[in-house]
Structures are given as structure tokens and as C-alpha cells.
Amino acid sequence: MSHLEKDSFGAKLGMWLFLFTEMLLFGGVFILYSVYLTRYPKEFGLGGHQLDLVYGATNTVVLLTSSLFAAMSVTAIKSGAKKLTLGLLSGTVGCAFIFLGIKYLEWSAKFHHGIYPNSPKLIAGPPGESIFFGLYYLTTGLHGIHVIVGAVLMTWTAVMVQKERLNANDNVTLENVTLYWHLVDLVWIFIFPLYYLIL
Amino acid sequence: MSQESAMAEGGFWRDTGRTGIGAWIFSTDHKRIGLMYLYCVLGFFLVGAFLGLLIRLELMAPGPTIMTAQTYNAMFTVHGVVMIFLFIIPGIPASFGNLVLPIQLGARDVAFPRVNLFSWWLYAIGAVIVLTSLFTGGGAPDTGWTFYVPFSARTTTNVSLAVFGVFVLGFSSILTGINFITTIHRMRAPGMTWTRIPLFTWSLYATAWVQVLATPIIAITLLLVVTERILGLGLFDPTRGGDPVMYQHMFWIYSHPAVYIMILPGMGVISDIIPVFSRKPIFGYKMIAFSSLAIAAAGSAVWGHHMYTSGMSDLGVLVFSFLTFIVAIPSAIKVFNWVSTMYKGSISLEAPMLFALSFILLFSIGGLSGLILGAAATDIHVHDTHFVVGHFHYVMFGGTGFAFFAAAHYWLPKYFGRRYQEKPAIIGWVLMFIGFNILYFTMQVLGMEGMPRRYYDYLPEFARLNFVATVGSWIMLAGVAIVVWNLWRGLFKGEPFIGNPWGGASLEWSIATPPPTENFEEDPVVSHGPYDFKGAGVP
Ligand code: HEM
Ligand SMILES: [Cu+2]
């Protein structure tokens, strides 16, 4: 059945379209961010100072490293280096776990200070502050879910590589999953300055 | 294969492999998926129409008639949700798109058959979630299908679940869009240039872009409603610094373009049917194809016309009003081209054509009343009255709904190998058309006179026209019942439908009836346009 031949260009086209929709999904949150930033510049500034720059910066480095691993895994599989591919993929998944661990520490520190959605402290505070933290939890939470999904996909691809269902000749799935991972990384590259740096 | 044996049991209906229901719900054949969508979509249409009937019964006379005010609120909400998210958005693209698009391109399937099956499953799961929300929790949602905050964040009815169901449905819509775009780019047969793509498939191409680009926005907006309800983030809550008008912006950034997900495929159906039943090539092929893209593009920038009365800035109102009028241009181009195609054609008034012709009339009335709503000055008068309800029924039901039935009469015989009876089809159409106008034109008049939308009760002045509208709804639904019954009976028991009786020139008419599993016995090479009847050898 000739039509079952893989059209890897088509597969990548489909993936790009899907990534586009993901960007738009986050785009919705960024629209809200920009509108409320112009409305509450002072509260956003104060909110931003309460976020921990060290956690944020570490996580940025972790994610960038993971993206590097992911990109290298594509080169590796194309040259037929199965072991190396598997190593790089586990590196990526490992980074995902570190990222989530740091996120956990960061969130629990905030919770500890009484800053969480609908908390008495936020309700009593100025409106702009609760909006800031509302957006913060929403954006990083949504991003966190994407990290988890990405890690699951990465693990699944690693299994496929192990079984040699993905190999030097047929690897578009790995490429697509890597593309997804780059998106997760890219979104964070926006979140980090918007919430931690510029305010 | 003799034509007789090719009927119903032949073609893709003959199963190789799984049997029973598994042969359908796990099939990656685009035709089976298309039919599964069709059955679901039609079923939901009937459910929605029944709810519409109940709404009309309640409004037949002033005061309580058959239900309580709370039930009424749930009723119009569920009617809207079912009709919009379960019927009209997936309606033509997912059912007829899946049935027809790959064949019109000369492909054996869509680009991602398994994703296609997955998106049907998402549709089914989303639908089940939506239906579950009606009978569990604090009762059926009562917010209207728009889920406006702050009410949707506060009401104790089962809004979270319903909204989550719609989220899943959106995912399904996105995947279908991605699939179609990729298919059109990658899977055209040799010789199928962009200007030889049938206009139905062209319209699905434009639709698919809207599905891909607009749906994510509603996804995030609906997620926000859920977080608002469950976590209390307060992003739309004025007491916490949020802004409910932001919700309206985000909602309509999707939902206005979604209107084009609803109407563009209908226009595509009409563009395919009119030339075939006029025996003439379509007039202005490129203009029609291009105007689909223009509608999709311009239509994405006009969401603000739903919010003239929400306290937007005057400049905003002016800009949105201007942009709204621009969308009328490509729509009018299409109407003129259809009419020009018929000019001096030898028109045969069979059922598909009758539905297509009534589409043009009803869509034009809907479109013109849309201009009244698009102009801020007049909109402020009729905003949220029955005029609006009349307007969008003219566009959505008179437009897309009639196109859906046109498509059903035109294409389904091809897939079943049997056809409906002509006479009941025409009687059903006449009743639908007359009842429709009695119902919705009266609603527009009511709205002009000031009867509000989504009101349980009304002043005695409105009693007479409301009664008339309700009678209209009976006539219309009688027509719908006849049409659906006739199609159903005909497709399973009717006379054989053999060869190319309509005389179409696009690829789907060049293959066996019903189509074989892989569509083409050998890969086609396309040498003529979809409306080049001579080139296709159609007499
Ligand atoms: C293609 C078919 C249809 C579509 C897409 C559709 C869509 C809608 C939508 C979106 C609303 C607005 C609900 C709201 O305000 O939240 C509505 C309201 C309504 N629909 Fe339909 N509908 C369709 C068919 C019907 C039918 C067959 C009937 C009657 C037999 C009907 C009767 C009504 C009535 C009476 C209302 C007004 C409810 C109110 O505002 O009080 N509709 N419809
Ligand atoms: Cu609109």
C-alpha cells in the first residue's frame, strides 16, 4: 500500500501547526499579562520582586541544557548511535525532573508565605497583587503541565528507540517530540523575563 | 464488479478484518470516520432542535407555560451548547469534509489517519462530558452558551464540567484542521494544482486555518473559567482587580472567527452544487476560492462587534464597526458569483439544488441583518434582543443548516449506493423553508419591537407574534422530520444510485459507488478542473 509510506515532511508540517496552536494557547495568557501590566504596573513590580531570581535562573539553565540534549539526540539517532541517543534522551528527561523539583520548592516557599490562589493574604492585599500572582500560578502551572507531557513523550520515544522502532532511517517521531520540547523551552524563555526579570 | 453488487454491501462498506461496531470505531478509513461524525452530528441536531421546540413552546404564551424559569435558562443554554459545539462547528467539516475531501484531492486517505480517528474519539468523549454535565452536579448549566463571567464563575450549576467538555471538543476541532491542511498541502494527486481543487475543499482549507488559529484562544479562555471557579484566581473578578470585559474579548476573539468555521464549509458545499445543477462551470472560480481566505482573514479582526454595549472605547467601536463592514465584501462576492453561475444555465431543481438555492436567499437575509448589527448605532437598539437570535439563525441554520442538508442529498447517495425519494425530499424542503421564515423572520420583528433575548416572560404586546413564531417552529420541524426520515429510509432501502447521475466533474464522481476502501483503484492523474464538465466527459 503505497500511501502508507511515511511522509516525514508532512509529519513535520503537522507538528509545526500543532506547535503554533500551543503558542497561541500561551498567547492568551500573555495578552492578559500585558493588559493587566498596564493597569497595575506598581503592583506587578512589587509582585515580581517577591519571586526568587535564583530559582528562576537555575531553571532557565536547566531547560536550555535539556533542549541542547534533545537537539543532540536527533543528530545522534541520524548517525545511528543508539546508545548515545538513549543517553541524551535520559539527560533531557532528567533535566525535566530537576526543573519540576525546583518548581516545587519555589511554589511551596510561596505557599508557606501565604501566597496562593484565593489565599486570605492575597484577598486582603491590593487587587493588582492578586492578579499578578493569579497569572503567575496560571502561567507557570500551565507550563509545568507541558513539561510533564513533554517528559512523558520523551520517555516514550526513548522506549521506541530502545526497541529500534525509531532508527537512523525512520526518526521523524523523535524529531517531532524534540520540536515539542523546544517549544516548552521557548515558552519558558518568555516567562522568565516577564515574571522574574523586567519587573 | 457489476453495479448491483457494488451497492451498499460493496466498496468500503465491505469489511476486511474487524467486524461489528469495532469495524467502525477503530477504523482509520476517512469515509467511516466521516459517517460516524455524521451520525453523531445529526443526532445532536435532532436533540438540539427538540430543545428549540421546547423553548418555543414555553414562549408561545406570556407567563409560565411548560417549564420554570430556571429550566428555561438551562434549556436555552443547552440548546446553544449542543447546536454550536456539537452540531454546527463539527457539522460539515468533520462529517462531509472527511467523507469528501481526500477523494476530491485524489488521495487515498487524510495525511494522519490515526490522528483522524483520535479526533473522532475526542469528539465523542467531549460530547459525553457535555451530556454528563447536564445530569450531574448542581444541574444543567444556565449561563448561555457564551459562559459569560461573572455569572459563570458564581453559578452553582455544573458549568465546570460543561466547559471542560467544550475544551476537549476544541482539541478535536484543532486536530481535524491540522489534518486537512497537511492533506491539502501534501496529498494532492498529480495534476491537482491549487486552481483545480474543488471549491468545497478550498473552503475547508480556509476553515482549517481558522480552526487552528482561533480554537486555542477559546481553549485557554475556558480553562480560565474553570480555574476561576475552582481556584478562585480572580482574573475576571472586579472585586479582586480582574476585568469581566477581558473575558468577553477573549471569548469573542475565538467565537467570532468560529462563525466562519460554521459558515465557510456551507459556502463550499453551495459552490460545488450550484454549477453541477446549472450545467455550467462556476463563475469566478478564483474569486470564490480567494474570498474564502479573505473572509477567514478579515473575520478574525471583528470580534469587538459583539461588545459595542460593554463599555468599550468609542474609537474601538468605530474601528470594529468599520472592519465588520469589510467582511461583507468577500461574502457578497460569493453570492454574486453563485447567481452569475446560474445565469443562463440549464437549472435542474432537484433536492440538493433546492437546499442550495434557499441557502443563498436565507444567508443573504442573515448577512444583511448582520450589517444592522455591525453598525454600532443600530446595534445599540437591537443588541441582545430577538433580532439577534433571528439574525444568527438565518446565518447558521438558514445558511449552514440548509447547506448541511444540501450536502446530505448531494453526496450521501454516493457513499451508500442508494438514494432518497425525490418527492418527500421536496415536500420536506418546502415545509422547512416556510416554517423557517415564519419562525425567524417573526423573531426579527419581535426584536425590532424590543423583545429581549433569553427572557422567560414578556409583555402582553408581544404575545401575538410569539404565538406565530411558535407555529412556525412546528411547521419547520415537521419539514426536518420528513427530510431526515426520507434520507434515512432512502439510503438504506432506496433505489440504487449508480454511476454519476448528477453529472459532477470533480474526482469523487469518477470512482465506483460506493467508493472502495482505498478510494482509487489506481492513483488518478488530474487533467481538468472540477467544473470542466466537458473535460470530464460529462455530457
Ligand atoms: C442549525 C441549527 C441551530 C443553531 C446553530 C442554533 C443556535 C442557537 C443559539 C446559539 C442560540 C442562543 C442561545 C443563547 O442565547 O444562549 C439559540 C437560541 C434559540 N434557538 Fe436555536 N439553533 C438552531 C436551531 C433551532 C431550532 C430548530 C429551533 C426551534 C425549533 C431553535 C429555537 C431557538 C430559540 C427559540 C432560541 C432563543 C432562546 C432565547 O434566547 O430565549 N433553534 N439557538
Ligand atoms: Cu461576530
Side-chain angles (χ1 to χ4, degrees):
Chain A
M1 287 188 274
S2 61
H3 71 294
L4 287 182
E5 275 166 25
K6 276 223 167 128
D7 174 11
S8 57
F9 184 90
K12 266 187 271 182
L13 177 65
M15 191 62 188
W16 274 105
L17 286 169
F18 180 70
L19 294 182
F20 225 75
T21 68
E22 290 274 24
M23 280 192 249
L24 287 162
L25 185 82
F26 281 98
V29 187
F30 289 134
I31 291 178
L32 278 182
Y33 179 93
S34 56
V35 169
Y36 287 132
L37 174 65
T38 41
R39 203 168 293 180
Y40 306 109
K42 215 176 85 223
E43 289 85 348
F44 268 51
L46 290 175
H49 283 303
Q50 298 182 47
L51 296 182
D52 194 324
L53 198 57
V54 177
Y55 281 141
T58 318
N59 257 348
T60 310
V61 174
V62 170
L63 265 196
L64 283 175
T65 315
S66 72
S67 246
L68 179 67
F69 286 158
M72 283 161 69
S73 75
V74 176
T75 329
I77 198 169
K78 284 193 173 154
S79 62
K82 179 176 162 188
K83 276 243 177 65
L84 181 60
T85 314
L86 284 173
L88 288 165
L89 285 177
S90 16
T92 316
V93 176
C95 285
F97 275 109
I98 299 178
F99 178 92
L100 290 170
I102 293 180
K103 195 90 254 166
Y104 172 77
L105 292 180
E106 202 183 348
W107 274 26
S108 35
K110 284 275 153 318
F111 278 40
H112 194 71
H113 289 106
I115 298 175
Y116 52 89
N118 224 3
S119 70
K121 184 171 169 199
L122 282 185
I123 290 179
E129 191 189 24
S130 107
I131 292 287
F132 176 80
F133 282 106
L135 278 173
Y136 165 76
Y137 280 113
L138 182 76
T139 325
T140 54
L142 198 60
H143 179 260
I145 293 175
H146 279 75
V147 172
I148 295 172
V149 171
V152 170
L153 288 177
M154 280 285 171
T155 313
W156 170 73
T157 355
V159 173
M160 302 291 270
V161 172
Q162 171 65 33
K163 287 187 184 160
E164 295 188 17
R165 298 264 294 278
L166 296 178
N167 51 47
N169 301 320
D170 177 5
N171 49 43
V172 66
T173 313
L174 175 66
E175 254 184 280
N176 273 345
V177 171
T178 308
L179 277 179
Y180 184 83
W181 192 256
H182 290 326
L183 174 94
V184 172
D185 186 24
L186 182 75
V187 170
W188 180 259
I189 298 296
F190 280 98
I191 294 178
F192 178 58
L194 283 181
Y195 286 89
Y196 294 79
L197 283 185
I198 61 169
L199 294 166
Chain B
M1 191 186 328
S2 84
Q3 292 290 9
E4 287 296 314
S5 68
M7 269 167 40
E9 285 71 38
F12 73 102
W13 290 90
R14 195 188 309 116
D15 186 45
T16 48
R18 285 195 197 82
T19 51
I21 187 149
W24 287 83
I25 61 173
F26 298 120
S27 168
T28 53
D29 179 7
H30 68 95
K31 297 177 289 298
R32 287 185 180 236
I33 294 175
L35 283 178
M36 289 196 295
Y37 270 116
L38 184 82
Y39 296 142
C40 299
V41 155
L42 189 62
F44 286 122
F45 172 74
L46 295 177
V47 171
F50 179 67
L51 296 177
L53 182 78
L54 295 182
I55 298 174
R56 258 339 306 171
L57 275 177
E58 172 53 46
L59 293 177
M60 185 161 78
T65 313
I66 58 166
M67 58 180 89
T68 62
Q70 176 63 29
T71 316
Y72 179 82
N73 290 351
M75 208 59 97
F76 71 68
T77 303
V78 176
H79 169 76
V81 169
V82 166
M83 283 300 195
I84 298 280
F85 296 112
L86 296 177
F87 170 66
I88 208 154
I89 289 184
I92 294 181
S95 60
F96 290 104
N98 260 313
L99 281 169
V100 178
L101 176 136
I103 310 188
Q104 283 196 333
L105 292 172
R108 289 172 182 252
D109 205 327
V110 292
F112 310 117
R114 277 183 299 167
V115 173
N116 204 16
L117 178 64
F118 180 55
S119 69
W120 180 80
W121 273 95
L122 284 180
Y123 172 78
I125 293 168
V128 169
I129 296 176
V130 170
L131 294 183
T132 312
S133 78
L134 309 183
F135 305 107
T136 55
D142 57 352
T143 57
W145 74 278
T146 50
F147 303 113
Y148 270 7
V149 292
F151 184 64
S152 64
R154 300 255 167 92
T155 172
T156 54
T157 55
N158 211 357
V159 169
S160 303
L161 198 61
V163 157
F164 179 67
V166 172
F167 178 81
V168 175
L169 291 169
F171 218 129
S172 159
S173 178
I174 289 179
L175 290 181
T176 303
I178 291 178
N179 224 332
F180 284 180
I181 293 177
T182 313
T183 308
I184 293 172
H185 275 276
R186 299 295 297 167
M187 315 245 319
R188 283 172 289 143
M192 178 58 77
T193 57
W194 282 92
T195 49
R196 283 185 185 157
I197 297 177
L199 287 166
F200 175 57
T201 291
W202 250 116
S203 75
L204 289 175
Y205 182 66
T207 309
W209 277 109
V210 183
Q211 284 176 304
V212 168
L213 297 181
T215 317
I217 312 280
I218 190 121
I220 188 72
T221 313
L222 295 177
L223 277 185
L224 286 169
V225 172
V226 176
T227 50
E228 204 82 336
R229 287 175 66 84
I230 296 175
L231 301 175
L233 286 185
L235 290 177
F236 300 129
D237 181 352
T239 62
R240 311 273 293 279
D243 183 354
V245 176
M246 273 312 288
Y247 173 86
Q248 297 194 12
H249 276 296
M250 293 182 70
F251 180 84
W252 286 111
I253 287 178
Y254 164 77
S255 291
H256 188 83
V259 168
Y260 302 107
I261 303 179
M262 306 174 201
I263 193 69
L264 281 171
M267 294 171 153
V269 170
I270 304 310
S271 304
D272 264 19
I273 289 180
I274 297 268
V276 170
F277 288 84
S278 307
R279 292 265 159 280
K280 265 183 66 193
I282 188 109
F283 179 84
Y285 170 92
K286 282 191 187 154
M287 285 306 273
I288 295 190
F290 168 76
S291 63
S292 289
L293 293 177
I295 290 177
S300 303
V302 303
W303 74 87
H305 62 210
H306 295 271
M307 303 164 55
Y308 290 153
T309 59
S310 72
M312 223 189 326
S313 74
D314 286 351
L315 179 66
V317 172
L318 203 71
V319 169
F320 279 121
S321 193
F322 174 71
L323 290 173
T324 303
F325 272 67
I326 289 190
V327 187
I329 298 171
S331 314
I333 289 180
K334 282 188 195 279
V335 173
F336 287 129
N337 280 328
W338 292 325
V339 174
S340 311
T341 303
M342 289 185 288
Y343 178 68
K344 287 195 175 160
S346 61
I347 295 175
S348 69
L349 286 178
E350 290 168 276
M353 186 62 166
L354 288 174
F355 279 100
L357 289 177
S358 43
F359 171 101
I360 299 183
L361 183 70
L362 301 176
F363 172 74
S364 301
I365 297 178
L368 291 173
S369 60
L371 290 180
I372 296 176
L373 297 168
T378 38
D379 177 65
I380 288 176
H381 178 61
V382 289
H383 178 77
D384 262 349
T385 65
H386 263 62
F387 185 83
V388 176
V389 185
H391 153 73
F392 70 62
H393 281 90
Y394 264 98
V395 178
M396 290 198 252
F397 191 6
T400 313
F402 274 65
F404 179 83
F405 285 110
H409 288 89
Y410 180 60
W411 275 308
L412 285 185
K414 177 82 204 168
Y415 293 86
F416 285 78
R418 292 172 186 275
R419 59 169 300 177
Y420 56 88
Q421 285 181 331
E422 192 65 24
K423 210 181 216 165
I426 291 179
I427 296 175
W429 170 77
V430 169
L431 290 177
M432 266 176 81
F433 184 74
I434 294 177
F436 181 97
N437 282 297
I438 298 180
L439 171 56
Y440 296 116
F441 196 79
T442 313
M443 277 200 199
Q444 293 199 310
V445 177
L446 274 169
M448 282 283 188
E449 292 183 354
M451 164 134 173
R453 165 188 187 189
R454 295 179 178 167
Y455 272 35
Y456 175 63
D457 198 2
Y458 49 80
L459 299 171
E461 288 88 314
F462 300 131
R464 212 164 39 109
L465 286 179
N466 267 302
F467 182 78
V468 172
T470 300
V471 173
S473 77
W474 300 337
I475 301 175
M476 181 174 80
L477 285 182
V480 170
I482 295 175
V483 166
V484 171
W485 167 81
N486 181 43
L487 274 173
W488 195 264
R489 213 198 123 277
L491 294 177
F492 289 102
K493 300 213 180 89
E495 287 177 13
F497 184 86
I498 297 168
N500 181 5
W502 307 136
S506 39
L507 280 182
E508 74 270 29
W509 303 107
S510 70
I511 60 174
T513 302
T517 306
E518 303 242 298
N519 299 345
F520 298 93
E521 319 257 275
E522 52 196 271
D523 289 324
V525 177
V526 183
S527 58
H528 60 86
Y531 309 104
D532 177 1
F533 299 104
K534 296 232 168 59
V538 178

